[in-house]
Amino acid sequence: MNSPVYEPFLQKPRSFYDTYERKSGIKEVTHYCPGCGHGELHKMIAEAIDEFEIADRTVLISPVGCSVFAYYYFDVGNVQAAHGRAPAVGTGVQRARPHSIVMSYQGDGDLAAIGLNEILQAANRGEKMVVFFVNNAIYGMTGGQMAPTTLPGMTTTTSPGGRKVEDSGAPLRMAELISQLEAPVYVARGALCSAKDISRTRRLVRKAMKVQVEGRGFAFVEVLSACPTGWGMTPPDSYQWIHEKMKPYFPLDVFVDRTDETFTAPAPKEPVPLEKYHEVMRIDSSDQLSFPPAQPLDPKYANPRLKIAGFGGQGVLLLGLGLAQCGMMEGRRVSWLPSYGPEMRGGTAHCHVNISDDEIGSPLVSQPTVLIAMNQPSLEKFESQVAARGLVLLNTSMISKRPDRDDLEVLDVAASEMAQKLGNPRAANMIMLGAYAGYTGMIGEKTIEAALGAIIKKRHLIELNVKAVAEGFALGRAARG
Amino acid sequence: MPETAYSPRPACPGRAPLLIKGNEAIVKGALLAGCRCYFGYPITPASEIAETASRDFPAVGGVFIQAESETAAMNMVYGAASAGVRTMTASSGPGISLMQEAVSYCAGSELPCVVVSIMRGGPGLGNIGPEQADYNQVVRIGGHGNYRTPVFAPSSGQEMCDLTMQAFEVADRYRTPVFVVADGFTGQMMEPVTFPDPLPEPPEKDWAVRADAATRKNLISSIFLDPDELEAHNRKLQAKFREIEENEALYDEYATDDAKIVVVAYGIVARVVRSAIHAARDEGIPVGLFRPVTLWPFPHRRLDELAGRAARLHVFELSCGQMIDDVRLAIHDRIPVGFHGRMGGNVPSVEECLEVIRKAAREGGVL
Ligand SMILES: Cc1ncc(C[n+]2csc(CCOP(=O)(O)OP(=O)(O)O)c2C)c(N)n1
Ligand code: SF4
């Protein structure tokens, strides 16, 4: 048995540091206990890095566990991660630097308990990384507590009477679990207990690294590894125990190997030049038209605070958006605030719109100067909020009652019926928009036409909506007399 | 004067504004600031951030991943930040709770990144209405260890863009995670926003692990086993936080010149109160508004100055009173501090705020 610990490696891989300067105390030996499997696996990984000459672009994610200090040893880019999160951290590194070779190195508490979600999801996404999973059936670092891989009946500091499957479940077979997913390219289990197993494991490690060099995707190598300290055994007894007890439960195998499939790595993404950003992000406003601000037909209509309400599906949010868009295109300050969430699921919707010559304070319209009510519940709900002598536009197709208050100025618009005549009852909102603009003079008719182009995504509906606006506008103007 | 009055970025001449949701403006601002990697998990009222990011990040050649949880999302941010790339995530209170582990690791490992919190009603699942009850979570920090995070608090669509951009600059300048916090309304609201040109590519970070020969010897870690070393690391972090306190506090004011009542509010509440103050001024009440634009560092010196000339302060929040602690500390409790808070997704109306201001004026004897 060639145990690497507490003696310098005879032939140190190049991607190992010569001396471990990040370590306190003796710089020549690792921090692992005698007989521990971590050091042996480190060496195999380093040898593979050497062979493929990838040290410069390799990033090792160290876990929390006994191998938390893996970065003492590997002369590669090193990132230390929170307990169980190495696959997520590795995902971040790999996606940010697509040319990188990312290795996640984790113990069984780290990977199979606290980090189970992160490992399964990274494997399922097929992240380009290799995960080395050290299964020593115990929590080494924290002093020998039960791990998800602790064998049934095995005594640990938190399973003093032996692991009871009824209480703690059966040990997790991670390699088998991961091999059930679609994405992984290579999934295997090795062991570090005999010369034969060690050389076989070395081949598994090499192959998993090759998957990374070729950029094929996710590779996972589980390694049954001795923790003589945690198990309370001598190193030789530990190796025997792996052989006798662990292997029967965790069979050595290659579960997935898709390394023979033909594969062409996707071409790297071309960066978009900065000059193109506005266009690509759809915030290029260079073709946005602007109009001189329309003047209200009565000063009392200036700086309106609008509340627009109706059933979900009546397009009240779009109506509000249209008003805000128009106001903005006429150089005014505007705000649009929707009711959102469960409120909308109840079937009613409303929004708050401010159009103002001055800076807008509250976007919330608690005392509207204009209420556009598309249905009767909206009138009932909001009538009392309307400011004294405020304007109310009623969709009389849906509202049979009159406002209770007598100080309000009311404009009746049979919007739904008018829209129906145009061929689509859903255009009632645009009839209302036109009616408001025509009646108050607060928005120019041309502005509305241009605004609809900006806010209506379905191009074929624009013509109908423009017609609806025109009818509403004419009605509003006529009502003014 | 190290605390600065917030001056909006000069509008880009000839460029028209676009009507856009606050949540979307955050994403656009982030990309214009050179952010290249977005990792997130959906939650109302922040979901439009992930939705917009899923379209816009890949469109400019960047990365979008819908993570399996906020825990994973923030750890992905930790990874991308380790690799030296500008990166962000966004969520609301319940998700921010899950992110705190990795935020602490970012602070400990000195990794720049931006975390957006669009606050909703709590505690627990609460509701999705607007609240400011996560002030303590982000300002007093929700993770473990000695650290602080700069916190920007936009109150308009334009600021959602501009302050997000600024957040990336501050994050890189100090190698620290930075929060942008707003409430559900500011996230959902649409306002005209003028977008600036993209910032030039930030220089490569020589401390990062970029998977190249130049940075091969680098290590990203928050581990310091030796007590003296960890203490020294903490002292270094604290020195950095003092520097941030010195240089990065931002505030905005309205009608404070002769104000005897100074209202303190941030985010959406500052907007509502501003309207109420406008009305109160018409009634002759000498009231003004002090709006912290950064919640940490809290602009305490300027507030203390204003308190020196005022009879009382009045704090408005969408919470049971969280920022008020910082207000009282800032002025050493030397004048009375009143409070008006709403919770559960309720936002006070202008009229409600006006009534509170009238009462404060009567009680403060300034009428
Ligand atoms: C969030 C969190 N919970 C708990 C711990 C304490 N802890 C450190 S290592 C460890 C177990 C590690 O065991 P394993 O992953 O099996 O690695 P080993 O030490 O056996 O190599 C635990 C629970 C921690 N660091 N962080
Ligand atoms: S406690 Fe176990 S896993 Fe940890 S170093 Fe010692 S032998 Fe290795």
Side-chain angles (χ1 to χ4, degrees):
Chain A
M1 182 59 234
N2 52 343
S3 157
V5 285
Y6 275 166
E7 55 191 62
F9 295 115
L10 295 177
Q11 251 190 324
K12 206 172 255 192
R14 271 173 290 124
S15 52
F16 261 167
Y17 284 116
D18 290 335
T19 53
Y20 311 133
E21 297 302 321
R22 285 180 178 137
K23 187 171 170 284
S24 60
I26 309 169
K27 314 280 187 200
E28 280 75 28
V29 297
T30 73
H31 70 289
Y32 298 112
C33 312
C36 174
H38 278 302
E40 183 71 40
L41 180 58
H42 282 15
K43 193 177 158 204
M44 291 175 183
I45 295 169
E47 283 166 359
I49 296 171
D50 286 358
E51 180 188 340
F52 295 115
E53 301 188 327
I54 50 172
D56 280 349
R57 63 184 179 111
T58 295
V59 179
L60 171 67
I61 317 294
S62 302
V64 175
C66 279
S67 46
V68 62
F69 302 120
Y71 59 79
Y72 285 169
Y73 311 115
F74 287 91
D75 181 5
V76 299
N78 277 289
V79 177
Q80 202 289 315
H83 197 21
R85 316 298 177 216
V89 172
T91 297
V93 172
Q94 218 293 321
R95 298 286 184 134
R97 301 284 176 187
H99 70 282
S100 61
I101 298 224
V102 172
M103 310 190 303
S104 170
Y105 187 107
Q106 303 178 256
D108 39 26
D110 194 84
L111 180 138
I114 195 168
L116 187 61
N117 197 15
E118 282 78 10
I119 185 61
L120 287 180
Q121 305 278 356
N124 194 47
R125 286 191 303 267
E127 293 296 338
K128 291 195 181 67
M129 69 171 77
V130 54
V131 177
F132 296 109
F133 170 44
V134 177
N135 177 353
N136 57 15
I138 208 157
Y139 283 18
M141 174 156 222
T142 37
Q145 296 85 6
M146 182 173 65
T149 45
T150 295
L151 293 179
M154 182 176 166
T155 304
T156 70
T157 56
T158 52
S159 59
R163 178 181 185 142
K164 290 191 189 66
V165 172
E166 320 81 270
D167 286 340
S168 310
L172 281 175
R173 294 188 183 93
M174 286 307 302
E176 285 86 337
L177 206 57
I178 285 174
S179 67
Q180 295 307 304
L181 305 171
E182 295 284 325
V185 176
Y186 186 72
V187 181
R189 180 184 288 121
L192 300 174
C193 55
S194 66
K196 185 169 147 247
D197 282 326
I198 288 171
S199 67
R200 178 177 169 275
T201 302
R202 186 173 291 117
R203 289 197 298 278
L204 305 183
V205 167
R206 182 184 177 278
K207 194 144 189 189
M209 289 299 283
K210 188 150 174 273
V211 170
Q212 302 315 304
V213 175
E214 294 171 356
R216 282 177 181 270
F218 186 84
F220 183 88
V221 178
E222 174 172 342
V223 178
L224 307 183
S225 168
C227 175
T229 308
W231 299 350
M233 295 180 199
T234 63
D237 287 350
S238 303
Y239 308 139
Q240 193 58 29
W241 195 81
I242 293 178
H243 192 67
E244 280 174 15
K245 302 283 193 232
M246 288 188 82
K247 278 186 188 174
Y249 194 91
F250 301 108
L252 305 192
D253 206 345
V254 174
F255 300 91
V256 175
D257 185 352
R258 299 200 282 116
T259 55
D260 289 340
E261 290 177 8
T262 46
F263 166 82
T264 27
K269 278 191 237 164
E270 282 299 313
V272 172
L274 292 178
E275 311 83 74
K276 288 246 176 217
Y277 264 48
H278 279 224
E279 186 192 324
V280 171
M281 286 160 56
R282 299 195 214 162
I283 51 171
D284 179 5
S285 59
S286 54
D287 61 354
Q288 180 164 294
L289 299 173
S290 61
F291 299 86
Q295 291 313 313
L297 295 175
D298 188 309
K300 71 181 175 190
Y301 299 136
N303 302 329
R305 303 192 301 271
L306 299 106
K307 192 161 252 173
I308 303 151
F311 290 126
Q314 280 186 311
V316 299
L317 298 187
L318 193 70
L319 165 48
L321 198 58
L323 288 168
Q325 177 79 21
C326 290
M328 180 181 75
M329 289 167 86
E330 293 186 356
R332 294 196 156 105
R333 322 259 183 145
V334 299
S335 68
W336 173 91
L337 177 70
S339 56
Y340 66 91
E343 231 184 313
M344 290 177 63
R345 273 163 224 148
T348 64
H350 69 267
C351 62
H352 312 241
V353 174
N354 283 282
I355 303 176
S356 178
D357 294 323
D358 307 315
E359 195 168 324
I360 293 170
S362 175
L364 211 74
V365 177
S366 43
Q367 261 186 13
T369 58
V370 181
L371 170 65
I372 302 183
M374 295 298 288
N375 65 0
Q376 188 140 327
S378 301
L379 175 65
E380 285 161 3
K381 185 166 173 197
F382 295 120
E383 180 186 340
S384 61
Q385 294 182 1
V386 179
R389 292 175 300 286
L391 172 64
V392 180
L393 278 75
L394 295 181
N395 175 14
T396 51
S397 313
M398 299 269 189
I399 304 174
S400 48
K401 86 186 261 285
R402 305 304 297 167
D404 296 329
R405 286 165 56 181
D406 53 14
D407 65 317
L408 300 175
E409 181 182 2
V410 180
L411 177 63
D412 290 334
V413 187
S416 303
E417 285 152 273
M418 289 168 71
Q420 183 74 53
K421 277 195 200 122
L422 283 175
N424 190 340
R426 303 189 74 162
N429 57 347
M430 293 298 137
I431 302 235
M432 274 302 194
L433 201 170
Y436 169 76
Y439 188 74
T440 62
M442 262 306 292
I443 293 167
E445 205 177 356
K446 286 228 162 48
T447 316
I448 306 179
E449 207 170 301
L452 292 188
I455 62 166
I456 294 180
K457 304 230 162 60
K458 293 185 183 145
R459 298 276 118 194
H460 66 279
L461 288 180
I462 293 181
E463 201 191 317
L464 168 78
N465 282 296
V466 169
K467 254 194 225 152
V469 166
E471 294 225 350
F473 195 92
L475 178 143
R477 258 317 127 84
R480 183 137 288 282
Chain B
M1 185 75 218
E3 288 176 2
T4 349
Y6 178 66
S7 46
R9 180 174 48 73
C12 312
R15 190 167 288 165
L18 289 170
L19 197 58
I20 192 167
K21 266 196 184 187
N23 279 344
E24 291 181 49
I26 283 179
V27 176
K28 312 288 182 190
L31 286 167
L32 294 174
C35 180
R36 289 295 167 270
C37 294
Y38 183 100
F39 307 97
Y41 190 87
I43 184 169
T44 311
S47 291
E48 293 84 359
I49 302 179
E51 287 164 5
T52 309
S54 73
R55 207 198 71 81
D56 285 352
F57 273 72
V60 302
V63 172
F64 169 86
I65 294 188
Q66 181 165 328
E68 56 269 33
S69 67
E70 291 84 351
T71 301
M74 190 62 208
N75 277 284
M76 290 174 188
V77 166
Y78 176 92
S82 298
V85 171
R86 287 194 172 177
T87 179
M88 74 179 293
T89 185
S91 187
S92 188
I96 301 292
S97 291
L98 288 187
M99 290 179 182
Q100 297 296 350
E101 171 190 72
V103 173
S104 166
Y105 275 72
C106 284
S109 309
E110 299 192 84
L111 293 176
C113 56
V114 172
V115 182
V116 178
S117 175
I118 306 296
M119 296 182 279
R120 57 186 242 169
L125 207 47
N127 68 20
I128 59 171
E131 255 198 16
Q132 296 178 323
D134 302 338
Y135 181 96
N136 284 345
Q137 183 186 42
V138 292
V139 174
R140 297 249 177 280
I141 67 153
H144 56 286
N146 291 304
Y147 73 94
R148 304 302 299 252
T149 51
V151 181
F152 288 93
S155 80
S156 68
Q158 188 68 53
E159 286 184 8
M160 289 292 243
C161 170
D162 293 355
L163 292 179
T164 300
M165 293 182 75
Q166 211 163 323
F168 279 98
E169 301 280 27
V170 168
D172 270 7
R173 194 176 310 140
Y174 297 97
R175 286 187 58 181
T176 177
V178 175
F179 273 87
V180 175
V181 299
D183 55 274
F185 273 179
T186 314
Q188 298 294 323
M189 176 168 68
M190 274 184 152
E191 287 190 305
V193 176
T194 312
F195 291 102
D197 287 332
L199 300 181
E201 288 287 346
E204 286 280 21
K205 295 160 182 164
D206 51 16
W207 52 260
V209 171
R210 304 186 323 235
D212 58 16
T215 63
R216 173 171 158 185
K217 306 284 177 202
N218 287 352
L219 165 67
I220 303 297
S221 166
S222 52
I223 303 177
F224 296 85
L225 284 190
D226 179 74
D228 290 335
E229 276 180 31
L230 183 54
E231 187 170 55
H233 176 62
N234 266 292
R235 289 201 195 287
K236 179 182 144 203
L237 293 181
Q238 291 304 315
K240 171 167 89 177
F241 299 143
R242 295 297 86 76
E243 197 187 331
I244 296 173
E245 280 175 333
E246 270 308 303
N247 299 325
E248 303 299 336
L250 286 177
Y251 61 86
D252 190 20
E253 285 175 35
Y254 169 66
T256 45
D257 282 351
D258 58 345
K260 292 283 168 247
I261 308 266
V262 175
V263 165
V264 189
Y266 71 98
I268 193 75
V269 188
R271 300 274 299 259
V272 179
V273 176
R274 190 191 156 101
S275 290
I277 289 173
H278 190 84
R281 282 274 168 183
D282 286 347
E283 296 176 11
I285 302 175
V287 54
L289 170 69
F290 182 77
R291 173 172 75 97
V293 175
T294 52
L295 303 179
W296 190 85
F298 194 82
H300 61 94
R301 287 197 200 90
R302 177 59 185 163
L303 183 57
D304 197 31
E305 255 171 46
L306 293 177
R309 316 199 292 249
R312 60 169 55 206
L313 303 187
H314 213 89
V315 178
F316 286 74
E317 292 181 67
L318 298 185
S319 78
C320 62
Q322 299 192 7
M323 179 178 68
I324 189 173
D325 294 345
D326 281 322
V327 170
R328 292 178 53 188
L329 274 174
I331 65 157
H332 315 286
D333 262 342
R334 63 191 165 119
I335 58 173
V337 180
F339 179 74
H340 187 69
R342 295 299 302 268
M343 286 171 274
N346 286 315
V347 177
S349 66
V350 175
E351 297 72 32
E352 183 179 335
C353 296
L354 181 57
E355 199 41 55
V356 173
I357 291 169
R358 286 187 190 121
K359 189 157 172 272
R362 281 197 302 274
E363 284 169 7
V366 302
L367 267 186

